[in-house]
Structure formats: structure tokens, C-alpha cells
Amino acid sequence: MKLLGIGSRINHSEYGKGVVTNVTTQHYWVTFIERGLETIDLDSEFEIIEAADGDVDTVSFFDVESSLVNILKKWSDTSEVVPIADKYKGGKLILEPADEGLKSYELPIDTFFHKITMVRDRLRVMEQRINSSDLDEQGKIDLQQYITRIYGSLTSFNILFKSKSHNFVGQRK
């Protein structure tokens, strides 16, 4: 029995069509279109659609997983990891009411920062959805200008970002 290489395409009677993503001494790791990742025995019954040539160890499951994560980050609306400025790491935000009889509110600054970056990421997704929507051009422009003004309102929080490339940018004059 000749081992299939990584990248080989198969059709399994139970799982459907898939691609071999890793090979161990006893199993193929196959990512099936409809079932996701499954392991099947090397001697399982399946149709070979296309056998990949070459060494079976050329790409590891880790490499495939890393590539998939990168693709998902690029094309989904999950947020990127944005580092907080070093001087604020582990700090806290304290809100003191004017009335001395009331208790102050403390919030870890990391939690507050996470919420700010979530707002920014959701605004970016909204921009993408506006741009790909069926709105007329003037409607898109009006909404984009409104989002730009929202970004401008959030520029006070730029001191929290470690890198200026992550800063909020409002309307430039």
C-alpha cells in the first residue's frame, strides 16, 4: 500500500470529499468539506480523486492550521490583537463621582482598552458592509463621513495604543 501525500484529494463514503492534511503512522488526517477534520485509518476504504506526489511529511497539521487561522483573520470580522501601551499595562481606570458620599468605580484598564478596540473593530466591519451594500454612492459617502466623525470622537483614547498605526483617525483638514 502506497501512502498518500499531504494535499491528496479523496472521496470517503461516510464523510464525503476531503483533503489529506497530515499523515501519521496509523491515520490520515483529512479535512472534509462538510464534516471538518476527521482521522481515518490508513487502510480505510475511499476513492482517490487526486494523489499528491512527494514526501508525506512536507506539511504538518500545525502549518495547515496556522494558514487557516491567518485566512480566517483576514476574511472574517474577528479582531486582531492590539497591544496596549506599556505604561498602562496592569493599570486601572478610576471614576470618582463629584458627590463624596458615592463610591468610586474601578475598572482594569486592560478591560477598558479591550472594549475600545472592539468598538474600533466593529466600526471597521460596518465600513466594509457599507462599502459592499446596495446603497447609492451618496448614501455610502454620507455614512462614511458619519463613521469618520465617530473615529474623531474616539481619538482621545489613542494614548492607550502601543503603536500609532492602531490609533483612531478622524477627519483630516
Side-chain angles (χ1 to χ4, degrees), residues 64-151:
V64 173
E65 183 180 38
S66 296
S67 296
L68 183 57
V69 167
N70 288 334
I71 291 167
L72 288 173
K73 281 181 182 176
K74 182 176 181 179
W75 295 104
S76 72
D77 51 352
T78 58
S79 59
E80 67 177 307
V81 176
V82 178
I84 190 169
D86 292 335
K87 64 183 173 184
Y88 294 111
K89 284 182 184 174
K92 58 185 167 185
L93 182 65
I94 302 171
L95 300 174
E96 294 281 344
D99 184 347
E100 292 184 28
L102 297 175
K103 186 178 176 185
S104 63
Y105 178 75
E106 290 186 14
L107 178 70
I109 204 157
D110 295 323
T111 302
F112 178 74
F113 180 71
H114 176 70
K115 292 179 185 294
I116 293 295
T117 58
M118 293 289 289
V119 167
R120 187 197 59 185
D121 292 341
R122 289 178 179 153
L123 281 170
R124 287 180 176 170
V125 170
M126 186 184 301
E127 282 183 296
Q128 292 169 354
R129 292 194 176 159
I130 288 168
N131 288 333
S132 64
S133 73
D134 293 337
L135 288 171
D136 65 344
E137 287 306 308
Q138 187 58 49
K140 288 181 183 182
I141 290 169
D142 292 344
L143 288 172
Q144 286 289 358
Q145 288 176 344
Y146 193 74
I147 288 174
T148 300
R149 289 192 297 273
I150 293 170
Y151 281 132

Side-chain angles (χ1 to χ4, degrees), residues 34-52:
E34 295 181 12
R35 296 285 297 262
L37 181 65
E38 298 283 346
T39 56
I40 60 172
D41 292 336
L42 292 178
D43 59 356
S44 294
E45 292 291 323
F46 53 83
E47 172 191 356
I48 300 171
I49 298 172
E50 180 182 351

